[in-house]
Amino acid sequence: MSGPNRLHWRGAWLTRVQPMLHRWGASWRHLSPREQRLLGLMILLLGAAVLWLAGLRPALDTLRQVREQLPVLQAQTAELDAIVLESRALGRSRRGTLSVEETAAALQDSLQRAGLQANGSFGPVRAEGDQLRRVLTVDRAPVASLLAWLAQLPEVARVRVWRLELARSHVDGRDRPGLLSGTVELMLPMGALP
């Protein structure tokens, strides 16, 4: 809109609105204080209802839908992680055995994906005779996560569990069901030797 047309519309709008505002102001002044309070309360309630219907309710509905979809998305993510692990294992079986560094990195990655990086730490790789071993020390690791990690180890880095020394975690002098502490000794594949 050009300048003169904009001013024309603004002037036309003001000429229509100003008389209404004056009438409303006069009507408001003629109301008793009690009626003014009740009308103000009604306007406030009407504004709250409009805010609820236009803003808050759609947002809360969206949050509810997200909460319902989250478990489905987490299950799909777990399936995708399993497929990725399987494809990596197939790729390694075609390439041969991983080096010591590759095996250590694969073990660390798998520990992080399982959500156990805060509960476990690996010791250095030790050579015992013609075998390579590595010890994982865990503290207050969730049982389900630790067992799932142990079950998928052969697919991650072709390692085997050599020895387990796990017990319920003690916190403040009491056993904590569902949490394990101890060590897991792993035997690395022979091809990992440099």
mmCIF file of all heavy atoms in Angstrom, residues 41-64:
data_model
loop_
_atom_site.group_PDB
_atom_site.id
_atom_site.type_symbol
_atom_site.label_atom_id
_atom_site.label_comp_id
_atom_site.label_asym_id
_atom_site.label_seq_id
_atom_site.Cartn_x
_atom_site.Cartn_y
_atom_site.Cartn_z
ATOM 1 N N LEU A 41 -13.762 -9.601 35.991
ATOM 2 C CA LEU A 41 -13.506 -11.017 36.244
ATOM 3 C C LEU A 41 -13.950 -11.862 35.057
ATOM 4 O O LEU A 41 -13.249 -12.793 34.642
ATOM 5 C CB LEU A 41 -14.226 -11.455 37.526
ATOM 6 C CG LEU A 41 -14.038 -12.915 37.937
ATOM 7 C CD1 LEU A 41 -12.570 -13.207 38.215
ATOM 8 C CD2 LEU A 41 -14.887 -13.233 39.155
ATOM 9 N N MET A 42 -15.107 -11.517 34.480
ATOM 10 C CA MET A 42 -15.600 -12.254 33.331
ATOM 11 C C MET A 42 -14.647 -12.097 32.135
ATOM 12 O O MET A 42 -14.340 -13.066 31.445
ATOM 13 C CB MET A 42 -16.996 -11.767 32.950
ATOM 14 C CG MET A 42 -17.631 -12.594 31.849
ATOM 15 S SD MET A 42 -19.294 -12.053 31.426
ATOM 16 C CE MET A 42 -18.906 -10.578 30.513
ATOM 17 N N ILE A 43 -14.150 -10.885 31.913
ATOM 18 C CA ILE A 43 -13.194 -10.656 30.820
ATOM 19 C C ILE A 43 -11.907 -11.437 31.074
ATOM 20 O O ILE A 43 -11.334 -12.039 30.165
ATOM 21 C CB ILE A 43 -12.920 -9.139 30.670
ATOM 22 C CG1 ILE A 43 -14.167 -8.442 30.135
ATOM 23 C CG2 ILE A 43 -11.724 -8.888 29.768
ATOM 24 C CD1 ILE A 43 -14.076 -6.931 30.157
ATOM 25 N N LEU A 44 -11.458 -11.474 32.330
ATOM 26 C CA LEU A 44 -10.261 -12.237 32.683
ATOM 27 C C LEU A 44 -10.467 -13.732 32.436
ATOM 28 O O LEU A 44 -9.599 -14.401 31.864
ATOM 29 C CB LEU A 44 -9.896 -11.977 34.151
ATOM 30 C CG LEU A 44 -8.638 -12.664 34.658
ATOM 31 C CD1 LEU A 44 -7.414 -12.081 33.973
ATOM 32 C CD2 LEU A 44 -8.535 -12.491 36.165
ATOM 33 N N LEU A 45 -11.623 -14.262 32.846
ATOM 34 C CA LEU A 45 -11.913 -15.683 32.614
ATOM 35 C C LEU A 45 -12.018 -15.991 31.122
ATOM 36 O O LEU A 45 -11.542 -17.031 30.655
ATOM 37 C CB LEU A 45 -13.202 -16.087 33.337
ATOM 38 C CG LEU A 45 -13.114 -16.154 34.856
ATOM 39 C CD1 LEU A 45 -14.492 -16.452 35.445
ATOM 40 C CD2 LEU A 45 -12.113 -17.200 35.294
ATOM 41 N N LEU A 46 -12.623 -15.091 30.370
ATOM 42 C CA LEU A 46 -12.726 -15.275 28.928
ATOM 43 C C LEU A 46 -11.344 -15.268 28.282
ATOM 44 O O LEU A 46 -11.044 -16.094 27.417
ATOM 45 C CB LEU A 46 -13.615 -14.180 28.322
ATOM 46 C CG LEU A 46 -13.880 -14.285 26.824
ATOM 47 C CD1 LEU A 46 -14.642 -15.566 26.508
ATOM 48 C CD2 LEU A 46 -14.664 -13.078 26.342
ATOM 49 N N GLY A 47 -10.480 -14.361 28.729
ATOM 50 C CA GLY A 47 -9.100 -14.317 28.219
ATOM 51 C C GLY A 47 -8.341 -15.591 28.555
ATOM 52 O O GLY A 47 -7.588 -16.119 27.729
ATOM 53 N N ALA A 48 -8.529 -16.112 29.781
ATOM 54 C CA ALA A 48 -7.862 -17.360 30.181
ATOM 55 C C ALA A 48 -8.359 -18.527 29.329
ATOM 56 O O ALA A 48 -7.571 -19.386 28.924
ATOM 57 C CB ALA A 48 -8.102 -17.628 31.664
ATOM 58 N N ALA A 49 -9.678 -18.556 29.051
ATOM 59 C CA ALA A 49 -10.226 -19.632 28.216
ATOM 60 C C ALA A 49 -9.665 -19.565 26.802
ATOM 61 O O ALA A 49 -9.309 -20.589 26.216
ATOM 62 C CB ALA A 49 -11.755 -19.548 28.190
ATOM 63 N N VAL A 50 -9.555 -18.360 26.253
ATOM 64 C CA VAL A 50 -8.987 -18.209 24.907
ATOM 65 C C VAL A 50 -7.521 -18.628 24.908
ATOM 66 O O VAL A 50 -7.058 -19.329 23.997
ATOM 67 C CB VAL A 50 -9.161 -16.756 24.410
ATOM 68 C CG1 VAL A 50 -8.338 -16.491 23.168
ATOM 69 C CG2 VAL A 50 -10.630 -16.464 24.140
ATOM 70 N N LEU A 51 -6.772 -18.231 25.929
ATOM 71 C CA LEU A 51 -5.366 -18.627 26.042
ATOM 72 C C LEU A 51 -5.245 -20.142 26.133
ATOM 73 O O LEU A 51 -4.387 -20.749 25.492
ATOM 74 C CB LEU A 51 -4.730 -17.961 27.261
ATOM 75 C CG LEU A 51 -3.276 -18.328 27.540
ATOM 76 C CD1 LEU A 51 -2.391 -17.789 26.428
ATOM 77 C CD2 LEU A 51 -2.837 -17.759 28.880
ATOM 78 N N TRP A 52 -6.108 -20.776 26.917
ATOM 79 C CA TRP A 52 -6.085 -22.229 27.053
ATOM 80 C C TRP A 52 -6.373 -22.908 25.716
ATOM 81 O O TRP A 52 -5.642 -23.790 25.288
ATOM 82 C CB TRP A 52 -7.102 -22.674 28.098
ATOM 83 C CG TRP A 52 -7.328 -24.157 28.109
ATOM 84 C CD1 TRP A 52 -8.378 -24.825 27.585
ATOM 85 C CD2 TRP A 52 -6.456 -25.153 28.644
ATOM 86 N NE1 TRP A 52 -8.227 -26.169 27.763
ATOM 87 C CE2 TRP A 52 -7.052 -26.410 28.416
ATOM 88 C CE3 TRP A 52 -5.232 -25.120 29.289
ATOM 89 C CZ2 TRP A 52 -6.471 -27.608 28.803
ATOM 90 C CZ3 TRP A 52 -4.650 -26.315 29.684
ATOM 91 C CH2 TRP A 52 -5.272 -27.534 29.437
ATOM 92 N N LEU A 53 -7.433 -22.476 25.039
ATOM 93 C CA LEU A 53 -7.832 -23.125 23.795
ATOM 94 C C LEU A 53 -6.855 -22.852 22.656
ATOM 95 O O LEU A 53 -6.621 -23.719 21.818
ATOM 96 C CB LEU A 53 -9.244 -22.683 23.395
ATOM 97 C CG LEU A 53 -10.361 -23.185 24.305
ATOM 98 C CD1 LEU A 53 -11.690 -22.553 23.907
ATOM 99 C CD2 LEU A 53 -10.462 -24.704 24.256
ATOM 100 N N ALA A 54 -6.303 -21.655 22.617
ATOM 101 C CA ALA A 54 -5.447 -21.285 21.488
ATOM 102 C C ALA A 54 -3.981 -21.635 21.708
ATOM 103 O O ALA A 54 -3.273 -21.907 20.751
ATOM 104 C CB ALA A 54 -5.579 -19.796 21.215
ATOM 105 N N GLY A 55 -3.522 -21.628 22.957
ATOM 106 C CA GLY A 55 -2.093 -21.804 23.182
ATOM 107 C C GLY A 55 -1.699 -23.025 23.975
ATOM 108 O O GLY A 55 -0.891 -23.844 23.532
ATOM 109 N N LEU A 56 -2.261 -23.177 25.160
ATOM 110 C CA LEU A 56 -1.794 -24.222 26.064
ATOM 111 C C LEU A 56 -2.298 -25.610 25.697
ATOM 112 O O LEU A 56 -1.541 -26.578 25.739
ATOM 113 C CB LEU A 56 -2.191 -23.884 27.501
ATOM 114 C CG LEU A 56 -1.551 -22.614 28.065
ATOM 115 C CD1 LEU A 56 -2.076 -22.334 29.452
ATOM 116 C CD2 LEU A 56 -0.046 -22.746 28.084
ATOM 117 N N ARG A 57 -3.556 -25.733 25.346
ATOM 118 C CA ARG A 57 -4.114 -27.053 25.061
ATOM 119 C C ARG A 57 -3.422 -27.730 23.876
ATOM 120 O O ARG A 57 -3.049 -28.900 23.977
ATOM 121 C CB ARG A 57 -5.615 -26.944 24.836
ATOM 122 C CG ARG A 57 -6.274 -28.279 24.650
ATOM 123 C CD ARG A 57 -7.760 -28.153 24.554
ATOM 124 N NE ARG A 57 -8.372 -29.444 24.313
ATOM 125 C CZ ARG A 57 -9.594 -29.589 23.919
ATOM 126 N NH1 ARG A 57 -10.361 -28.543 23.744
ATOM 127 N NH2 ARG A 57 -10.077 -30.783 23.721
ATOM 128 N N PRO A 58 -3.201 -27.028 22.743
ATOM 129 C CA PRO A 58 -2.473 -27.690 21.652
ATOM 130 C C PRO A 58 -1.060 -28.114 22.052
ATOM 131 O O PRO A 58 -0.591 -29.183 21.652
ATOM 132 C CB PRO A 58 -2.436 -26.629 20.545
ATOM 133 C CG PRO A 58 -3.576 -25.726 20.836
ATOM 134 C CD PRO A 58 -3.718 -25.728 22.328
ATOM 135 N N ALA A 59 -0.393 -27.290 22.868
ATOM 136 C CA ALA A 59 0.954 -27.646 23.305
ATOM 137 C C ALA A 59 0.925 -28.892 24.188
ATOM 138 O O ALA A 59 1.760 -29.792 24.054
ATOM 139 C CB ALA A 59 1.588 -26.471 24.051
ATOM 140 N N LEU A 60 -0.032 -28.979 25.101
ATOM 141 C CA LEU A 60 -0.148 -30.154 25.971
ATOM 142 C C LEU A 60 -0.516 -31.401 25.169
ATOM 143 O O LEU A 60 -0.032 -32.500 25.458
ATOM 144 C CB LEU A 60 -1.168 -29.896 27.078
ATOM 145 C CG LEU A 60 -0.750 -28.848 28.120
ATOM 146 C CD1 LEU A 60 -1.886 -28.583 29.086
ATOM 147 C CD2 LEU A 60 0.489 -29.296 28.858
ATOM 148 N N ASP A 61 -1.375 -31.244 24.154
ATOM 149 C CA ASP A 61 -1.707 -32.379 23.283
ATOM 150 C C ASP A 61 -0.471 -32.872 22.540
ATOM 151 O O ASP A 61 -0.264 -34.081 22.393
ATOM 152 C CB ASP A 61 -2.803 -31.988 22.285
ATOM 153 C CG ASP A 61 -4.160 -31.826 22.941
ATOM 154 O OD1 ASP A 61 -4.330 -32.297 24.089
ATOM 155 O OD2 ASP A 61 -5.061 -31.221 22.303
ATOM 156 N N THR A 62 0.355 -31.952 22.093
ATOM 157 C CA THR A 62 1.595 -32.329 21.398
ATOM 158 C C THR A 62 2.527 -33.080 22.341
ATOM 159 O O THR A 62 3.112 -34.102 21.961
ATOM 160 C CB THR A 62 2.294 -31.075 20.843
ATOM 161 O OG1 THR A 62 1.400 -30.395 19.963
ATOM 162 C CG2 THR A 62 3.561 -31.432 20.100
ATOM 163 N N LEU A 63 2.657 -32.613 23.583
ATOM 164 C CA LEU A 63 3.496 -33.319 24.566
ATOM 165 C C LEU A 63 2.974 -34.725 24.842
ATOM 166 O O LEU A 63 3.746 -35.677 24.948
ATOM 167 C CB LEU A 63 3.548 -32.527 25.876
ATOM 168 C CG LEU A 63 4.456 -31.318 25.889
ATOM 169 C CD1 LEU A 63 4.301 -30.559 27.196
ATOM 170 C CD2 LEU A 63 5.895 -31.739 25.705
ATOM 171 N N ARG A 64 1.656 -34.876 24.940
ATOM 172 C CA ARG A 64 1.074 -36.197 25.172
ATOM 173 C C ARG A 64 1.381 -37.127 24.003
ATOM 174 O O ARG A 64 1.760 -38.278 24.197
ATOM 175 C CB ARG A 64 -0.440 -36.067 25.373
ATOM 176 C CG ARG A 64 -1.145 -37.383 25.662
ATOM 177 C CD ARG A 64 -2.662 -37.223 25.723
ATOM 178 N NE ARG A 64 -3.230 -36.447 24.632
ATOM 179 C CZ ARG A 64 -3.428 -36.913 23.387
ATOM 180 N NH1 ARG A 64 -3.073 -38.132 23.080
ATOM 181 N NH2 ARG A 64 -3.973 -36.142 22.459
#
